Every structure is written in structure tokens, then in C-alpha cells.
Amino acid sequence: MEYSINKLAKLSGVSSRTLRYYDEIGLLKPLRVSATKYRLYGQKEVDKLQQILFYKELGVELLGIKKLLEEKEFNVAGALKKHLSSLEEKKKQIEILIKNVNKTILSVEGDLEMSNKEKFEGFKKTMIENNEKQYGEEIRKKYGDKAVNASNKKIGDMTEEQYSRIEKLEIELNAKLKEATTIGDPGSAIAQEVCELHKQWLTFYWPKGTYTNEAHCSIAQMYCDDERFKAYYENIAPNSTEFLKNAINIYCKK
Amino acid sequence: MEYSINKLAKLSGVSSRTLRYYDEIGLLKPLRVSATKYRLYGQKEVDKLQQILFYKELGVELLGIKKLLEEKEFNVAGALKKHLSSLEEKKKQIEILIKNVNKTILSVEGDLEMSNKEKFEGFKKTMIENNEKQYGEEIRKKYGDKAVNASNKKIGDMTEEQYSRIEKLEIELNAKLKEATTIGDPGSAIAQEVCELHKQWLTFYWPKGTYTNEAHCSIAQMYCDDERFKAYYENIAPNSTEFLKNAINIYCKK
DNA sequence: ATAAACTATAACGTAACGTCAATGTCAATA
DNA sequence: TATTGACATTGACGTTACGTTATAGTTTAT
């Protein structure tokens, strides 16, 4: 029995376009083509299509399916296991998204100055990335992987309450930084108060026991070097990045 | 402060291509463009980009983000909830995939005539779909949603052991159907035995108490009418679809 | 003035088809 | 037999969110 393209399509539940595409990419060639270029499929092709659809249902990509079917003994189980772990990865990702969307819904419904919160979220992300990128290696060496992961987790898992506490801290910090910057003396009482607040803010994010004067100074330097942080602080007051660095240098040497 | 495209890109961590694309689709337009066509972004744009990236992290599509930001009050929470349920749908899908891939790995490692099993899997799917499409409405009316869902669930949740039992049943059924078809008398003892096996096979898939002689007859008719089923039976023996229908008609009227 | 660095538009590529459009073929009917 | 309707073909664009060249104009630094 030979099947025309539409017969096979109906039989298998896919479209004829799909069959043409599978032909095109060499995944499923017809048994033969007529003199008038019509595709004709046989029983073997029907069976192969079944296999293809089976793997497709498992979420394997067409290229992967092709390999699975071509290389008869090329470790099907191994390939499926790799596929499995990529599925599990995706699942984790989605779970994280679900968690975050849920949080966001809560905060939207609470309607609490969403946009401020969002900015903070964005900045928080920058923090995590930066914390990791700039200090990750260093800290990992000193304190091991656990500390770094704990820190990142800590940031990611912050509760709403903690958000608002740190948000308040940040608002105060920013307001005073602005004031201190306009006054202009990095050694002034208010500038040093800013440094104290900044220390609190930092220690909130960092793993226990990792705060040192040197780390504080180098963070301040980093603020000046990294455009993302700079953009954040320049937004508070012009030149406040530089000013903060100077103040912190004084603060840490006292 | 105005930002060039690359400044903004570095500041926000996306590529300049991305910013051009966002401009193109109207998601984020620059504050102004210079006489020489250079894009220039202001603080407002920086903030908006933050928002965009925030939603993007939540897995919202760009078009969705656009709507969220454009329609200031167009029910952000509602949109996010819709997004949430689509995420949860995806998660369920992936969980199903994971389950099936796991099963498949088991059976591949057990190396038990995989291809037969696969064919069955494919056919099983056809069963579910068809059961639903052809009889779903009817059965739902008679027995309510619960029965249908229970039936589908039953099929989806079959254990390995159950698979092998039904596989054996099916092999016997097919072998006898082939024999009976070549003999040719739908009233013969072997043909009627085939009907009995077929009934067992059917009742395995159908919800308790739904089997009737009429349903059995109409299933047989459906086999003749539906190309997918026909292809399956014709593969066993030519004309066996028709033969089976005739035999079942006799069987049910005895 | 010239090179280096930056910016612009345009166009193709990605995965797996859906959806036309223009054209050719087959079986059955008037 | 000519026509009609169903079915087939290739070709090409659209989908998502950009990455990646390629080519050409602009700004900045030396």
C-alpha cells in the first residue's frame, strides 16, 4: 500500500506541509516520487513517522530525532538522559518565573509604588550579577562556594518585609548622599553617616563575616568604574559616585 | 545626561542590536535622534528600559510588555495572572514530558522491543484523541466529565505492567484477526473469539460501565471510517477492518 | 589629516512549520 | 473529450527576539 502525502498526513495527524518539511530536512523521505513529482510513502515510512512523532511528543527537537533514528546504536538512552536534564532545567527556570510573577502580582495588587520597587528589582539583579562577577571568584576562594551561593540565594529569597526595610534604608541613604554631595565635604558628619548607612546596606547583601574595610573601599572604587552603578548614583546627584568613594575612603581609614 | 546607544547598552547589559530592535518595534524609542541619525537616550528611557527588562525576566513577551507599559491602567495584575497561568501550563507540560522521557529511558535500557512499544504509544495517543473526539461529547452527556477524564487519565497513567498486559492482549488479538480474516467467515468461532478479545481490549480503555453492544458496533464502524484506525488494521491484514466490523456486528447481535 | 572608534541601515539566519500564490496533475463527470 | 474539482508541486514570506556580518557614514583623538 502506498500513501499520497495527504493520506499519510491524515493518517498520522500532521499536515502535508509538515511532511514536505520533513522531506526537505531529510528527516523523512518518501519511498519514491512519481514521474510527476508526487511524493509516495510506504509502510516503512508510516512506521518511521510514528517514531518521529513519538520522540516529538517527548519534546525532542527534529535534529535530535534525526540523529536518534539515524545512528541506530548511538546511545539512545544517553541522548534521552541529556534531553531529560534539559527538561528539568527548563522546569526549574519556569518555577523561578512563577515565583517571581507571583511576588509581582502581590506587590501590584498592594499597589505600593510599583515603579520604585521595580527599579529596585532591576538594581538587585545588577547587584547579584556584580557581586558574582566582581567578587565571586575572590570570595569563593576565601569562603568557598557555599557562602557565595548563600548570598545570592539570600538576595533572591528576600521577603516583602525585607524589601521594604531595605527600600527605606536605601531611600534614607540616597537622600543623605544627595545632601552630603551638595554640601561637598567627604569628611563631614553627614557624609560619614552616609558611609555608615552604606555599610549597613552592604552587609545586608553580603554573607556574614565578609565585610572588611578593604572590601568596602574596593566596592566604592567599583561604583566609579562600572557604568551601571555609576548611572544609578549619578541619577541621585551629579558626581555623587566620586563623592561617595572619597567619603568611604575616609570612613574606612578612621 | 544623554546616553548613546552603546552607553545605554553597557549600562543596562543588553546589546545595541537589542536597543535598535526595541526602537524598531516601538517598544523603546530614543529621546531624540541627532541630525546624523544617532540615537540618544535620556534618563526616562533608562528607567523604561529597566521596566522592560524587569518584565522580560518574568518571561513576558515583548508585545505583552509593550501593552503593559502603554496601557498604564490596563489591569497589570490581570495580565500578569494570565501570564502566570500560561507559565503553570508550561510547567505541567514539562512535567508530563519528564515523566514520559523517564519511562522511555527505562524501557530503552530494558531494551524490550522498543519499537513495538513505540507503535503502541503512538496508537494509544490516537486512541485518546479519538475516544475524546468521537465519543467524548456523547459520553460526557451520559456519564459526565468525570468519567471521560478518568478514562483519559487511566490511559495516560498506565503502568509498565499494564502496558505489557495490553500489549500481549493486542498481539493475540492481531494474530487471531489475521488468521480469521484469511479464513474469511465473520461468523466463525475464531472470528467471534477475536470479537471477545476486542471487547476486553476496549473495556480496558473505557470507563467502567460504558461498554454496550451498540457502542461496540459503532466503534467497529468508526474503524472503517477513520483512516488512522483503518491504516492500523490494514497493516495487520488486508480488509481486516471490514472483516472485523462484520464479525462484531454478528457478535453483538447474538 | 588620518586613523580608531562609533553609529547607521540592510539583510540573512535561527525552529518548525502556517499560509498564501501560481501552477501542474489526476479522476470523474457532462 | 473537455471540463471541473480535488489534490499535488515549488517558492516565498511570516512568525520571535535578536546575533551576526557587510557596507558606509560620523565622531573623536592623535
Side-chain angles (χ1 to χ4, degrees):
Chain A
M1 172 89 179
E2 282 186 334
Y3 300 91
S4 73
I5 195 166
N6 263 336
K7 287 276 168 62
L8 179 55
K10 276 171 190 157
L11 186 154
S12 61
V14 305
S15 73
S16 56
R17 175 68 174 95
T18 297
L19 293 176
R20 268 183 223 110
Y21 182 64
Y22 288 178
D23 184 3
E24 189 186 329
I25 64 171
L27 179 57
L28 182 68
K29 296 273 183 198
L31 174 60
R32 66 190 189 87
V33 293
S34 75
T36 53
K37 294 288 184 181
Y38 280 27
R39 290 172 180 80
L40 293 168
Y41 299 86
Q43 188 59 43
K44 256 181 61 188
E45 285 70 34
V46 176
D47 293 349
K48 186 171 177 186
L49 182 53
Q50 295 272 7
Q51 309 253 112
I52 291 169
L53 296 179
F54 171 69
Y55 285 120
K56 203 158 91 89
E57 263 185 278
L58 297 184
V60 184
E61 290 172 8
L62 296 190
L63 199 67
I65 297 178
K66 210 179 158 191
K67 280 179 193 161
L68 279 176
L69 298 185
E70 272 171 3
E71 318 199 21
K72 210 66 184 172
E73 299 306 328
F74 191 65
N75 197 7
V76 176
L80 286 177
K81 277 178 188 168
K82 268 177 70 183
H83 180 54
L84 184 64
S85 58
S86 94
L87 284 175
E88 273 161 354
E89 192 54 38
K90 272 189 197 166
K91 188 185 159 191
K92 272 183 205 161
Q93 282 297 112
I94 287 184
E95 277 168 349
I96 291 171
L97 290 184
I98 288 176
K99 203 174 119 193
N100 287 337
V101 174
N102 265 321
K103 272 190 193 168
T104 308
I105 288 174
L106 281 178
S107 90
V108 170
E109 288 189 329
D111 202 38
L112 309 159
E113 295 185 37
M114 179 65 188
S115 84
N116 268 332
K117 178 150 266 160
E118 280 177 4
K119 275 189 201 167
F120 177 62
E121 289 277 345
F123 192 58
K124 189 190 73 181
K125 194 193 158 217
T126 307
M127 270 302 298
I128 293 180
E129 275 175 8
N130 241 283
N131 186 25
E132 182 65 19
K133 198 172 65 188
Q134 308 272 340
Y135 296 98
E137 208 181 338
E138 197 179 321
I139 296 180
R140 273 180 208 278
K141 267 184 205 148
K142 270 195 197 153
Y143 306 96
D145 284 359
K146 259 179 278 183
V148 176
N149 292 338
S151 167
N152 288 348
K153 193 171 180 323
K154 189 178 169 189
I155 299 175
D157 283 351
M158 256 188 270
T159 65
E160 291 291 318
E161 194 193 352
Q162 286 172 309
Y163 276 140
S164 75
R165 257 189 34 216
I166 200 143
E167 210 172 358
K168 267 176 65 182
L169 178 62
E170 205 181 329
I171 289 168
E172 194 187 344
L173 170 63
N174 292 348
K176 297 212 164 149
L177 175 59
K178 190 173 177 180
E179 204 185 330
T181 305
T182 50
I183 291 174
D185 175 13
S188 68
I190 188 164
Q192 293 305 302
E193 197 186 335
V194 164
C195 295
E196 175 60 27
L197 288 171
H198 189 252
K199 177 180 175 179
Q200 282 179 34
W201 188 75
L202 269 185
T203 50
F204 192 91
Y205 289 112
W206 284 2
K208 265 196 171 63
T210 52
Y211 177 88
T212 62
N213 286 338
E214 293 75 39
H216 201 170
C217 284
S218 59
I219 271 284
Q221 182 58 51
M222 185 193 78
Y223 286 172
C224 295
D225 298 339
D226 188 302
E227 306 193 60
R228 297 175 298 180
F229 280 90
K230 211 168 156 186
Y232 180 80
Y233 283 107
E234 290 302 302
N235 202 15
I236 293 164
N239 304 315
S240 64
T241 324
E242 188 82 11
F243 180 81
L244 181 62
K245 188 191 74 176
N246 294 333
I248 287 173
N249 274 318
I250 294 171
Y251 176 81
C252 288
K253 273 156 197 164
K254 274 201 300 210
Chain B
M1 172 88 180
E2 283 186 334
Y3 300 91
S4 73
I5 194 166
N6 263 335
K7 287 274 169 63
L8 179 55
K10 276 172 192 159
L11 186 153
S12 61
V14 306
S15 72
S16 56
R17 174 68 174 96
T18 297
L19 293 176
R20 270 183 222 111
Y21 181 64
Y22 289 177
D23 183 5
E24 189 186 329
I25 65 173
L27 179 58
L28 181 69
K29 295 273 184 199
L31 174 62
R32 66 189 191 86
V33 292
S34 75
T36 53
K37 296 286 185 183
Y38 281 26
R39 290 172 181 81
L40 293 169
Y41 299 86
Q43 189 58 45
K44 257 181 60 188
E45 285 70 33
V46 177
D47 291 350
K48 186 172 178 187
L49 182 54
Q50 295 271 9
Q51 308 254 114
I52 291 170
L53 296 179
F54 172 70
Y55 285 119
K56 202 157 89 87
E57 263 185 280
L58 298 184
V60 184
E61 290 173 8
L62 295 188
L63 198 68
I65 296 177
K66 208 177 158 190
K67 279 178 192 160
L68 279 176
L69 297 185
E70 272 171 3
E71 318 198 23
K72 208 67 184 170
E73 297 306 328
F74 191 63
N75 198 7
V76 176
L80 286 177
K81 277 178 187 167
K82 268 178 68 184
H83 180 56
L84 185 63
S85 58
S86 94
L87 283 176
E88 272 160 354
E89 192 55 39
K90 271 188 199 167
K91 187 185 160 189
K92 272 183 204 161
Q93 282 297 114
I94 287 183
E95 277 168 349
I96 291 170
L97 290 185
I98 288 176
K99 204 174 121 195
N100 287 337
V101 174
N102 266 321
K103 271 190 194 170
T104 307
I105 288 175
L106 280 178
S107 92
V108 169
E109 289 190 327
D111 201 38
L112 308 160
E113 295 186 35
M114 180 63 190
S115 83
N116 268 332
K117 176 148 269 162
E118 281 176 3
K119 275 190 199 167
F120 176 64
E121 289 276 344
F123 191 59
K124 190 190 72 179
K125 194 192 157 216
T126 307
M127 271 302 297
I128 294 180
E129 277 174 7
N130 238 283
N131 186 24
E132 182 64 17
K133 197 173 63 189
Q134 308 273 339
Y135 296 97
E137 206 180 341
E138 198 179 320
I139 296 180
R140 273 179 208 278
K141 265 183 203 147
K142 270 194 195 154
Y143 306 95
D145 284 358
K146 259 179 278 184
V148 176
N149 292 338
S151 167
N152 287 348
K153 193 169 180 322
K154 189 178 168 189
I155 298 175
D157 282 351
M158 256 188 269
T159 65
E160 292 290 317
E161 194 192 353
Q162 285 172 310
Y163 275 141
S164 76
R165 255 185 40 212
I166 200 144
E167 210 173 357
K168 267 176 67 180
L169 179 62
E170 208 181 327
I171 289 169
E172 193 186 346
L173 170 63
N174 292 349
K176 296 212 165 150
L177 174 59
K178 190 173 177 180
E179 201 185 333
T181 305
T182 51
I183 291 173
D185 176 12
S188 68
I190 187 164
Q192 293 304 300
E193 197 188 332
V194 164
C195 296
E196 175 59 28
L197 288 172
H198 188 253
K199 177 180 173 178
Q200 282 179 33
W201 190 74
L202 269 185
T203 50
F204 192 92
Y205 289 112
W206 284 2
K208 266 195 170 57
T210 53
Y211 177 87
T212 62
N213 287 338
E214 294 74 40
H216 199 170
C217 283
S218 58
I219 271 284
Q221 182 59 51
M222 184 193 79
Y223 284 175
C224 294
D225 298 340
D226 188 303
E227 307 192 59
R228 296 176 298 180
F229 280 92
K230 213 169 156 184
Y232 181 80
Y233 283 108
E234 291 300 304
N235 202 14
I236 292 164
N239 303 315
S240 64
T241 325
E242 188 82 12
F243 180 82
L244 181 62
K245 188 191 75 179
N246 295 332
I248 287 174
N249 274 317
I250 294 170
Y251 176 81
C252 288
K253 273 156 196 163
K254 274 201 301 209

